[in-house]
Amino acid sequence: MTARPLRLRRVRKLVPGSRSGRGATPKVVALGGGMGLSASLAALRRITGDLTAVVTVADDGGSSGRLRDELGVLPPGDLRKALAALCGDDDWGQTWSRVIQHRFTSEGELHDHAVGNLLIVALWEQLGDHVQALDLVGKLLGAHGRVLPMSAVPLELQALVKGHDEARPDDISTVRGQATVALTRGEVQSVHVVPEDPPAVPEAVEAVRDADWVVLGPGSWFSSVIPHLLVPELREALEETKARKVLSLNLAPQPGETDGFSPQRHLEVLARHAPKLAFDVVLADRAAVPDTESLTVAAKQLVGSEVELAAVAAPGSPCGTAETHKGAARHDPELLAAAYDRIFRMHGRIGPWR
């Protein structure tokens, strides 16, 4: 049994409230964080007018970490990136996308703070409501979708890492903080969050349960993708939803977190953190899969899924090679949109799109 390659075609861009030729636009929820989630959102906003991003809140580095430490707020950085990815391609959308991503350069306290981070935190303080504030920022930006935090409290990511201390390569130690976990030179064994039973944002749980399709990944596997499975209410919603589910794999291993990981190793560690979670489709770039048969078997055994291969990398991206460690590999929004569009159309529906 081998994976089926996707035949890609140009997809028609939809706007909120529009309808496709075969029914209303599907309700899609995308989960993740950082640039991986941004890539998914930039693609998905092209094919659905009903899109919700559920974003990790474990970031503790950079501008987000400073605001989190000083003000005790959720880290806003990944939420900002998701909002920027949902901005339209018109002048309004692209202008606001650049504005909220803009970082100050100075020798003072504002250095490296992102405008969008400050705007989001200011609205949180003004309104006292995470969801209402993010909805208001989305309205200002003309975002093609909604952005929600996965939890109502900031989380600390902790990992068990083998060889984090290079002088003791066989020792397993606890590494604390998303930024440190993401850059560890050791082998990550597992991750958990503190507090251990964090509350999920109710709107995020409701979105997952009410979705037609749920997309998890791509993104930093241990620090952006798996954390969603560590919020009990959210994990249960993912396990119990009637939505069909896509697991979108990365173009290459990530330096530090997943160095040397095969595509099937990514599935193994995800299944270890959420053994009851199944998917309908595992999406991977053909150039990033050296052994299609092994991935096909692993997908069926570990997450109950079929495998779909498609060219989703931007032209020139060296998928699956050491060169990607230089940050060269990235998804092409149009190609990724075409892949998602074909999956949504070819893998059946729960019923008519609501």
Side-chain angles (χ1 to χ4, degrees), residues 211-243:
D212 296 307
W213 282 91
V214 171
V215 177
L216 180 63
S220 299
W221 215 243
F222 286 106
S223 55
S224 292
V225 175
I226 290 177
H228 290 277
L229 311 180
L230 307 178
V231 180
E233 291 172 285
L234 191 56
R235 183 182 64 248
E236 289 169 8
L238 286 166
E239 292 168 350
E240 296 170 2
T241 182
K242 293 182 180 179

Side-chain angles (χ1 to χ4, degrees), residues 37-321:
L37 177 61
S38 294
S40 250
L41 296 176
L44 289 166
R45 70 176 171 82
R46 289 166 160 79
I47 60 173
T48 180
D50 196 334
L51 177 58
T52 300
V54 178
V55 184
T56 182
V57 288
D59 188 10
D60 63 349
S63 171
S64 287
R66 290 160 61 194
L67 290 168
R68 172 178 173 162
D69 290 343
E70 184 173 344
L71 301 174
V73 295
L74 295 180
D78 283 349
L79 297 160
R80 181 199 79 243
K81 292 174 187 175
L83 284 163
L86 290 173
C87 285
D89 295 325
D90 57 355
D91 288 342
W92 181 273
Q94 290 306 293
T95 297
W96 275 110
S97 178
R98 291 192 298 271
V99 167
I100 66 169
Q101 295 282 55
H102 176 76
R103 290 183 182 273
F104 295 103
T105 301
S106 75
E107 296 184 2
E109 292 298 319
L110 273 178
H111 178 68
D112 206 38
H113 271 307
V115 171
N117 289 356
L118 301 178
L119 175 62
I120 290 169
V121 172
L123 283 167
W124 282 342
E125 291 193 345
Q126 287 286 314
L127 301 176
D129 186 305
H130 293 117
V131 173
Q132 184 183 357
L134 289 166
D135 284 345
L136 190 57
V137 178
K139 185 177 180 180
L140 172 66
L141 273 53
H144 293 248
R146 191 182 196 193
V147 173
L148 300 169
M150 70 176 184
S151 178
V153 298
L155 305 178
E156 179 185 74
L157 188 70
Q158 297 187 1
L160 294 178
V161 181
K162 181 179 180 181
H164 179 67
D165 181 351
E166 293 183 61
R168 308 173 72 178
D170 294 325
D171 285 4
I172 295 178
S173 55
T174 298
V175 176
R176 294 174 172 83
Q178 182 271 336
T180 306
V181 172
L183 296 176
T184 180
R185 292 172 179 263
E187 180 182 334
V188 179
Q189 307 289 302
S190 64
V191 290
H192 62 278
V193 293
V194 177
E196 294 184 359
D197 190 11
V201 168
E203 291 87 348
V205 173
E206 181 182 357
V208 169
R209 290 189 179 276
D210 194 42
D212 296 307
W213 282 91
V214 171
V215 177
L216 180 63
S220 299
W221 215 243
F222 286 106
S223 55
S224 292
V225 175
I226 290 177
H228 290 277
L229 311 180
L230 307 178
V231 180
E233 291 172 285
L234 191 56
R235 183 182 64 248
E236 289 169 8
L238 286 166
E239 292 168 350
E240 296 170 2
T241 182
K242 293 182 180 179
R244 293 184 181 272
K245 286 166 280 189
V246 180
L247 180 63
S248 190
L249 296 183
N250 295 330
L251 298 174
Q254 181 177 344
E257 272 195 39
T258 55
D259 251 337
F261 274 35
S262 64
Q264 44 272 32
R265 179 74 184 279
H266 285 75
L267 300 186
E268 290 170 5
V269 297
L270 186 141
R272 198 160 62 234
H273 286 83
K276 296 181 181 179
L277 183 59
F279 291 84
D280 296 276
V281 180
V282 169
L283 172 63
D285 189 278
R286 176 179 291 280
V289 181
D291 186 344
T292 302
E293 186 64 28
S294 292
L295 178 59
T296 301
V297 172
K300 180 61 68 176
Q301 292 179 344
L302 295 169
V303 294
S305 172
E306 296 182 30
V307 172
E308 295 283 7
L309 300 179
V312 294
S317 289
C319 300
T321 72

